[in-house]
Amino acid sequence: MKEVRNIVCIGLILIVLVGGTPAYRIRKPVDPVGFATRSWQLDSLMKRINRIQAQNLNEARDVNMVKKYTSWKFAVSPHDDYTYVGWLYPALLANVKAGTVILLGVAHKAKKFNVENKMVFDSYDYWQEPYGPVKVSGLREAIMNKLPKSTYIVNDSLQQTEHSVEAIIPFLQYYNQRVEIVSILIPAMSFGTMKMLSSALAGALDDLGEYNNMNLKIGRDYAIVSSSDAVHYGCEDWGGSDYAFYGCDSAGFKKAVDHEYEIMRGCLLGPVSENKIQEFTKYTVQDTNYRTYKWTWCGRYSVPFGMLTLLQLEKLQHSNPSSGQLMGYSTSISQKPIQVDDLKMGVTAKANIKHWVGYPAIGYK
């Protein structure tokens, strides 16, 4: 059935093209190595995760008392190679139940495009994904129409180069073939700018109360997912930088992971508050230069931006405050990678004690 849907969607697009109507604009994958681009790849990967890492999945759900019907309002998801992240993707994303997902991505190459201090949208109609094209929600235009023009730009070139959003969509599509998305990249910005822009986004979303004759609510009609790997650690192959804050050995690894849990416990877990969000920024961004890492979380802007948006939305919609639950944390060297080479997939970076990445998976309800 999944393959049939894929063929039907592509066929409809071809019919439109032949008929002379302006072509749909489709955002194509940028990373066909680390992520699945075909349905059979993701189907096989999920079977392996469920077989090999079932204990991790079951423990995550049991410890957090997360049921199948639990629906996250907001989530923090990793975006690294599927072989490394493995079970964390389904452990978290199976409970993103809303039909529309607003994805807050990292803007890894924003500096190259001279972009900062604004939200970055795209203008694509669909994103090419394993089970067929995923539709970009009409909420995107509705949101932009509500936002002050000074708060955002549309930049397809930056969106096309960015992998942090496309990592997540295949799993959303795996659980919901009709999911629609809105991609917003969050480049470098100060905490003050983050507060201003996230407040504008929350206000725009709240103003959409009568969109398509529905009273839209976060968690029910749409969810927000911030894309973020955790620390990038080590003393080799980081473009000449040394990120081995505690040393480049097993003792340093343990101290770094302990520091990761300190950040998550103090800033991201439990009830959401502005003080905790700002504390996360203090952990990850230099006090005197918001463009510079203090602790190398690539989601140092996307995570606090998403949490601030959530906090403001809940105030505007008079809903109960959310609380963060850690579905799991792992690193690229803490578990055996899932085999993917026979699935025509692979790795985009090495993983060893001198070069590794952390992965947070946190849900908010």
Side-chain angles (χ1 to χ4, degrees), residues 241-268:
S241 297
D242 187 346
Y243 297 146
F245 306 99
Y246 293 109
C248 208
D249 54 16
S250 58
F253 172 80
K254 183 181 183 306
K255 289 178 181 177
V257 170
D258 287 345
H259 190 65
E260 294 272 84
Y261 276 97
E262 178 184 315
I263 293 172
M264 290 185 291
R265 283 193 297 265
C267 307
L268 306 182

Side-chain angles (χ1 to χ4, degrees), residues 88-249:
L88 285 176
Y89 279 118
L92 178 73
L93 298 176
N95 289 98
V96 178
K97 302 288 188 181
T100 299
V101 182
I102 299 170
L103 289 151
L104 302 180
V106 177
H108 285 97
K109 298 186 179 180
K111 186 176 181 180
K112 176 182 177 182
F113 289 88
N114 196 30
V115 172
E116 62 178 27
N117 293 314
K118 292 180 186 291
M119 293 176 275
V120 183
F121 290 82
D122 70 288
S123 66
Y124 296 106
D125 301 302
Y126 292 88
W127 284 47
Q128 183 179 314
E129 298 298 335
Y131 302 108
V134 167
K135 184 179 180 181
V136 175
S137 172
L139 280 180
R140 181 185 63 192
E141 275 64 38
I143 291 168
M144 289 192 290
N145 287 337
K146 296 285 186 180
L147 286 170
K149 299 297 183 184
S150 61
T151 62
Y152 72 92
I153 61 171
V154 177
N155 191 320
D156 287 346
S157 296
L158 181 54
Q159 286 270 2
Q160 178 60 62
T161 65
E162 181 53 50
H163 67 272
S164 65
V165 171
E166 76 174 41
I168 297 169
I169 300 172
F171 287 94
L172 298 176
Q173 190 186 34
Y174 178 86
Y175 291 108
N176 178 7
Q177 295 283 300
R178 296 183 179 181
V179 69
E180 297 185 2
I181 63 163
V182 177
S183 175
I184 309 174
L185 304 184
I186 310 300
M189 61 184 68
S190 68
F191 188 76
T193 300
M194 215 178 288
K195 282 182 62 178
M196 179 184 68
L197 296 186
S198 62
S199 179
L201 179 59
L205 287 166
D206 187 58
D207 281 347
L208 298 177
E210 296 304 319
Y211 178 79
N212 279 359
N213 297 315
M214 294 190 300
N215 185 20
L216 299 183
K217 296 291 184 183
I218 187 170
R220 185 190 68 190
D221 303 298
Y222 61 90
I224 300 173
V225 176
S226 285
S227 181
S228 175
D229 288 333
V231 72
H232 291 52
Y233 195 95
C235 55
E236 291 184 356
D237 296 320
W238 291 116
S241 297
D242 187 346
Y243 297 146
F245 306 99
Y246 293 109
C248 208
D249 54 16

Side-chain angles (χ1 to χ4, degrees), residues 301-341:
Y301 310 115
S302 60
V303 170
F305 192 100
M307 295 179 73
L308 286 167
T309 304
L310 172 68
L311 191 65
Q312 184 64 22
L313 264 173
E314 290 180 333
K315 290 178 182 177
L316 291 170
Q317 297 183 354
H318 306 290
S319 59
N320 294 327
S322 294
S323 184
Q325 297 176 256
L326 183 64
M327 293 303 295
Y329 173 89
S330 69
T331 75
S332 54
I333 61 172
S334 60
Q335 61 191 14
K336 184 178 180 180
I338 296 288
Q339 182 182 355
V340 296
D341 56 342

